[in-house]
């Protein structure tokens, strides 16, 4: 079974703080993704990476950056958290053929 | 461009049927369906490729009408375990990133 692990399930951060969300996968998949999930808006792609050190912007990259130094690890960084970034963040991976496997999500509250 | 899902929500009694639609204004290569239960990760259900195919998975099946750029998910004789939010993800060409719809909330009552 594919395992996608998000290190933090629930976080509360203050406005302006730097936030790191970590994701690790154990299936040697090339592609990794960060989505944001909000009620009524579905899953929106923030960034994705198709190889180590490679990244591409998704649909809503503003206010976020990513890092992929190792194939199995993909980090989402909020340089200066704001209240409108309160959301659920989902990491996902995919091999060729594009079936996506999701992690369990990280609930971030920015106060 | 985000696909449009309909309905936004549906409530069923056990044993009833439901159809969830996913429409795109652009030509599609594939449509993926996922189900997410409350507090859990979305789980892959099935993928339909261009060519108008239909697939089945127990009492859950789906079709893809390439000409209409629309996919439909059919849930027959629904069970309590079918409750959750259903997402379609569309892909415009092979290897492109998936774009997901806003989701359809399905609740099955006993």
């Amino acid at each position: 079974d594919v395992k996608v692990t998000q290190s933090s399930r629930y976080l509360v951060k203050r406005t302006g703080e730097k936030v790191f969300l970590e994701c690790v996968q154990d299936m040697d998949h090339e592609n990794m993704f960060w989505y944001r999930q909000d009620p009524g808006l579905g899953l929106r792609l923030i960034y994705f990476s198709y190889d180590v050190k490679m990244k591409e912007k998704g649909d809503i990259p503003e206010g976020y950056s990513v890092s992929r130094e190792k194939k199995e690890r993909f980090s989402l960084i909020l340089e200066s958290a704001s209240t409108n970034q309160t959301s659920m963040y989902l990491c996902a991976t995919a091999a060729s053929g594009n079936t996506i496997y999701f992690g369990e999500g990280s609930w971030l509250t920015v106060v | 461009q985000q696909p449009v899902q309909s309905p936004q929500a549906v409530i069923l009694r056990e044993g009833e049927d439901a159809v969830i639609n996913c429409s795109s204004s652009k030509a599609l290569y594939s449509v993926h369906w996922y189900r997410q239960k409350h507090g859990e990760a979305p789980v892959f259900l099935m993928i339909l490729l261009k060519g108008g195919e239909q697939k089945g998975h127990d009492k859950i099946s789906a079709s893809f009408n390439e000409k209409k750029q629309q996919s439909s998910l059919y849930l027959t004789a629904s069970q309590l375990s079918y409750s959750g939010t259903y997402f379609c993800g569309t892909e415009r060409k092979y290897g492109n990133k998936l774009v997901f719809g806003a989701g359809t909330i399905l609740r099955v009552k006993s």
Side-chain angles (χ1 to χ4, degrees), chain B residues 1-3 23-31 64-70 90-92:
Chain B
Q1 190 170 2
Q2 191 177 40
S23 298
S24 172
S25 59
K26 306 284 186 183
L28 298 175
Y29 171 77
S30 70
V31 179
F64 177 23
N65 186 322
E66 191 181 333
K67 287 182 182 176
K68 291 184 178 179
Q69 309 308 330
Q70 179 175 303
T90 57
E91 183 183 20
R92 292 188 55 197

Side-chain angles (χ1 to χ4, degrees), chain A residues 34-74:
Chain A
W34 276 106
Y35 286 90
R36 172 177 170 160
Q37 183 173 14
D38 299 289
L41 297 176
L43 303 164
R44 294 181 292 166
L45 183 64
I46 304 171
Y47 266 98
F48 68 103
S49 168
Y50 49 89
D51 203 348
V52 175
K53 297 192 187 294
M54 307 300 284
K55 61 186 179 186
E56 282 197 26
K57 293 180 180 179
D59 300 315
I60 52 164
E62 296 79 20
Y64 304 95
S65 62
V66 290
S67 171
R68 193 165 180 202
E69 297 296 318
K70 293 185 178 181
K71 191 174 186 180
E72 68 271 18
R73 190 179 296 269
F74 192 36

Side-chain angles (χ1 to χ4, degrees), chain B residues 4 21-23 32 34 36 44 47 69 73-74 78 83 99:
Chain B
V4 177
N21 296 307
C22 175
S23 298
H32 303 227
Y34 288 79
Q36 183 181 31
F44 173 75
I47 178 174
Q69 309 308 330
L73 186 72
Y74 306 95
S78 58
S83 293
V99 180

Side-chain angles (χ1 to χ4, degrees), chain B residues 6-46:
Chain B
S6 62
Q8 290 183 317
V10 58
I11 300 175
L12 301 172
R13 292 203 176 274
E14 274 186 294
E16 291 182 336
D17 302 340
V19 181
I20 300 171
N21 296 307
C22 175
S23 298
S24 172
S25 59
K26 306 284 186 183
L28 298 175
Y29 171 77
S30 70
V31 179
H32 303 227
W33 285 98
Y34 288 79
R35 176 172 63 205
Q36 183 181 31
K37 300 200 176 210
H38 184 69
E40 298 181 10
V43 173
F44 173 75
L45 292 176
M46 64 189 79

Side-chain angles (χ1 to χ4, degrees), chain A residues 16-20 63-66 76-82 85:
Chain A
E17 276 193 83
K18 191 168 186 174
V19 181
F20 292 87
Y64 304 95
S65 62
V66 290
L76 180 70
I77 304 154
L78 288 69
E79 295 289 342
S80 178
S82 63
Q85 292 179 308

Side-chain angles (χ1 to χ4, degrees), chain A residues 40, chain B residues 5 7-11 20 82-86 102-107:
Chain B
Q5 286 187 236
Q8 290 183 317
V10 58
I11 300 175
I20 300 171
Y82 288 2
S83 293
T85 302
Y86 289 78
T104 295
I105 299 170
L106 178 77
R107 183 177 168 203

